Amino acid sequence: MMRKLLILPALLLAGMSFAQEVDLAAIEKIKKEGLENSKVEEIAFQLVDKAGPRLSNSEGYERAVDYAIQQLSDWGLQNANAEPWGEFGRGWEMEKSYVAMTKPYYMPFIAIPKAWTESTKGEVSGKVYFLDIKTEEDFAKYKGKLKGAIVAIKPTGTQEPTFEPDAVRFTVEQLHGMEHPAPRGGGNNSYTPEMIAEFRAARALQQRVTEFMAEEEVSLIIKGVNGRHGTLFTSSPRGYLKDTPEGVPELETAPENVNLMARLSENGVEVEIEAEVKTRFRTEDLQGYNVIAEIPGSDPSLKSEVVMLGGHLDSWHGANGATDNAAGCIVMMEAVRILKATGLQPKRTVRIALWGGEEQGLHGSRGYVAKHFGDPQTMELKPEHEKLSAYYNIDNGTGRVRGIYLQGNAAAEPIFNEWFLPLDDIVEDRTITISNTGGTDHQSFDALSLPGFQFIQDPIEYRTRTHHTNMDTFERLELDDLKQMAVVIASFVYNTAQKDEMIPRKELRKVE
């Protein structure tokens, strides 16, 4: 593991280069402001509780955009605006959701409509059907028999008791493993052609089942989704495109609910359900929007160069998207607030971006990168490409920073190592890994060989309770961790803005 900074004066006397690279007085100002005068709780209330769920192009997303623009402007950032990145598609609002088992006895269910699902035709009720379709021939036995039916789909996986904690922090051993990642390649974990073929066949069959139920005019689909004891990992990429055909309303419910109905049905006990889903599509504006704002650079020779920081503002709809990814936006907004509140004057322009459409495929950041920096398909670059020093991202939940992924950019390691040194009192067992990490907006920059980085964060409950779930609420935020993250980000952004040279880049990716 990298060694802690125990006695800063001794390191300075030893003539370490970071003393010349890092303005230690500035870093101390950032720490003091971020840890003693933090506004993360206030920002969190606005983005999480007050704005509500922030599905792309929803009213909640618009509330969050309006708040962010106003707040960033009030802090003194310039050019705060909702910048369109391209066409996204329809917005969607959930107005009513109810489902309960009524026979053999009454039991309300935990359930959430799939995003962009249609409304039921008022309240629907009746017997629950379980389809057993494994081959194309199985469709025949249901044809003409499902009009108006309520169909339940059993969950996969296991719902047994778990003996692992929901919330965890990285151990020293885990962090050390990140520093020295095992070589990637084949082996037992590789997907064979046969496995890939089976997966594609299963996916095609599932798509055919969905289409069949629409053709048969099923009134409602109730699907058991995996999750721990009432936590629903719910989402849906379908339906947001403007020309999406109408489908069957779908509710996702706790797996235990569907398992209960299945056991009753399999043992000859008739099961009935009553439910109502009421939703509304928004089609007046199909554009997608990012929130952009700037702290203009103070150095005439460097202010045309840019340091960016960001996270995605959109969320899923089952809860208020606290850790995915209000947390990242809270941290990035707090980081630029810290820079303004300390009176520091970054030499390069600092630009914050709160992205839209991330959950449907990094749309907001990809659209922004294509508009400003170039086309990753052709690698035809725009003039702004040479002006970006680095982009820093947060999108792995509420856990504190433990280090950074280099995304294969080995030349950045000694720089980041020095920048972490004066933060060692708040970053435990800091880790810098050459590894890539995926699934979020820094990849849009990396696709153009721009320096884009995601920080290593403690998992907390991200994978077990909060990521895309109905439990992603304000209570899941670790406010002290958000404060620490904001200080780290503000320090990295400031150091990047002050550095004589821009952050080194990987070799420009070649188009195959």
Side-chain angles (χ1 to χ4, degrees):
M1 296 301 297
M2 297 180 189
R3 299 176 66 184
K4 291 277 189 125
L5 176 65
L6 298 177
I7 307 175
L8 184 59
L11 292 177
L12 291 174
L13 289 173
M16 291 192 66
S17 62
F18 92 94
Q20 300 171 4
E21 288 282 340
V22 178
D23 182 344
L24 296 176
I27 301 306
E28 287 306 309
K29 286 182 180 180
I30 288 171
K31 284 185 184 178
K32 183 175 178 64
E33 179 62 31
L35 299 177
E36 297 180 14
N37 301 315
S38 174
K39 304 297 181 189
V40 297
E41 188 168 1
E42 298 172 25
I43 303 168
F45 169 75
Q46 293 289 337
L47 288 183
V48 178
D49 288 345
K50 193 170 180 181
R54 302 176 306 281
L55 196 70
S56 290
N57 276 14
S58 69
E59 293 172 0
Y61 185 77
E62 289 184 1
R63 288 191 290 270
V65 167
D66 291 343
Y67 159 72
I69 290 172
Q70 186 62 58
Q71 184 63 86
L72 292 167
S73 298
D74 290 347
W75 287 334
L77 277 79
Q78 296 185 16
N79 306 318
N81 72 99
E83 180 180 307
W85 53 260
E87 183 173 300
F88 172 75
R90 305 183 295 176
W92 180 84
E93 299 295 326
M94 178 170 51
E95 297 184 337
K96 185 176 183 180
S97 174
Y98 163 72
V99 61
M101 185 174 71
T102 56
K103 188 176 181 180
Y105 45 83
Y106 183 86
M107 178 177 288
F109 284 171
I110 300 170
I112 299 168
K114 274 192 174 183
W116 288 284
T117 199
E118 293 77 11
S119 301
T120 57
K121 295 177 180 178
E123 184 177 291
V124 298
S125 60
K127 179 182 175 180
V128 175
Y129 292 82
F130 286 87
L131 305 188
D132 184 17
I133 298 178
K134 297 184 176 66
T135 68
E136 188 66 31
E137 290 71 30
D138 291 332
F139 287 100
K141 60 187 175 184
Y142 299 106
K143 191 168 181 60
K145 300 178 181 178
L146 296 177
K147 185 173 182 177
I150 298 171
V151 174
I153 299 175
K154 292 175 69 173
T156 59
T158 177
Q159 287 76 50
E160 297 172 352
T162 56
F163 297 92
E164 299 291 333
D166 283 344
V168 296
R169 294 194 185 276
F170 281 127
T171 64
V172 173
E173 291 75 19
Q174 288 171 321
L175 292 169
H176 183 74
M178 292 183 192
E179 280 186 347
H180 306 285
R184 293 191 177 186
N188 295 332
N189 293 325
S190 297
Y191 292 109
T192 66
E194 292 77 14
M195 294 168 63
I196 294 172
E198 288 178 10
F199 172 77
R200 288 175 176 169
R203 186 170 59 182
L205 180 63
Q206 183 55 54
Q207 179 62 31
R208 178 69 188 102
V209 170
T210 300
E211 293 169 354
F212 176 74
M213 287 191 281
E215 293 165 2
E216 294 296 303
E217 300 182 50
V218 167
S219 66
L220 179 67
I221 299 170
I222 302 176
K223 182 178 181 182
V225 294
N226 288 328
R228 285 191 181 188
H229 319 321
T231 297
L232 309 184
F233 288 85
T234 179
S235 63
S236 171
R238 79 176 183 92
Y240 68 90
L241 298 177
K242 63 182 178 182
D243 55 355
T244 301
E246 186 173 348
V248 178
E250 295 188 50
L251 277 169
E252 295 182 305
T253 188
E256 293 87 351
N257 294 334
V258 177
N259 287 337
L260 167 64
M261 294 190 294
R263 287 192 300 271
L264 289 167
S265 181
E266 289 162 3
N267 284 278
V269 180
E270 189 167 293
V271 177
E272 292 188 1
I273 283 288
E274 66 179 17
E276 184 174 6
V277 175
K278 187 177 181 181
T279 64
R280 171 169 52 88
F281 291 96
R282 306 180 74 224
T283 58
E284 60 273 18
D285 186 358
L286 300 176
Q287 285 290 310
Y289 295 90
N290 302 316
V291 174
I292 307 293
E294 293 182 337
I295 302 174
S298 61
D299 187 320
S301 64
L302 293 177
K303 66 181 181 181
S304 65
E305 297 176 359
V306 178
V307 183
M308 291 191 67
L309 65 162
H312 72 87
L313 187 57
D314 65 307
S315 75
W316 285 106
H317 60 298
N320 288 2
T323 70
D324 188 23
N325 180 38
C329 296
I330 293 162
V331 166
M332 297 313 190
M333 289 182 69
E334 172 70 355
V336 294
R337 185 201 69 80
I338 290 170
L339 294 179
K340 292 297 293 183
T342 54
L344 297 171
Q345 299 291 323
K347 294 178 180 180
R348 291 181 177 84
T349 294
V350 172
R351 183 179 299 157
I352 184 173
L354 309 179
W355 309 114
E358 189 271 353
E359 295 292 5
Q360 290 72 46
L362 313 185
H363 291 322
S365 59
R366 283 176 172 165
Y368 181 90
V369 166
K371 179 179 177 180
H372 290 271
F373 301 123
D375 183 349
Q377 300 301 318
T378 64
M379 291 304 288
E380 293 181 11
L381 307 179
K382 301 192 176 210
E384 288 182 65
H385 186 275
E386 65 182 32
K387 295 294 186 179
L388 181 73
S389 182
Y391 169 74
Y392 299 106
N393 194 78
I394 286 287
D395 183 23
N396 283 162
T398 190
R400 66 198 295 108
V401 167
R402 303 297 297 276
I404 196 168
Y405 298 95
L406 292 174
Q407 208 71 18
N409 189 345
E413 179 174 5
I415 299 167
F416 292 166
N417 186 44
E418 292 179 353
W419 290 357
F420 268 121
L421 284 171
L423 300 172
D424 269 348
D425 56 336
I426 62 171
V427 180
E428 301 85 357
D429 303 301
R430 59 187 168 86
T431 297
I432 299 176
T433 176
I434 195 67
S435 296
N436 299 347
T437 187
T440 190
D441 292 294
H442 71 288
Q443 289 183 293
S444 299
F445 293 80
D446 190 58
L448 275 181
S449 302
L450 290 165
F453 305 99
Q454 164 72 31
F455 289 84
I456 299 170
Q457 297 173 248
D458 275 333
I460 313 298
E461 302 168 300
Y462 194 60
R463 296 296 176 186
T464 56
R465 284 286 181 184
T466 67
H467 177 247
H468 296 187
T469 78
N470 59 324
M471 294 294 174
D472 198 4
T473 63
F474 187 97
E475 289 79 2
R476 305 281 74 77
L477 294 173
E478 285 288 315
L479 296 180
D480 285 342
D481 284 22
L482 298 181
K483 295 175 186 178
Q484 183 255 23
M485 280 193 277
V487 168
V488 173
I489 303 299
S491 299
F492 265 64
V493 168
Y494 183 73
N495 287 336
T496 307
Q498 301 303 97
K499 185 174 171 57
D500 290 341
E501 306 85 15
M502 293 200 299
I503 298 299
R505 300 183 176 190
K506 296 185 291 186
E507 183 179 351
L508 200 64
R509 183 173 61 84
K510 293 180 175 61
V511 179
E512 297 181 359

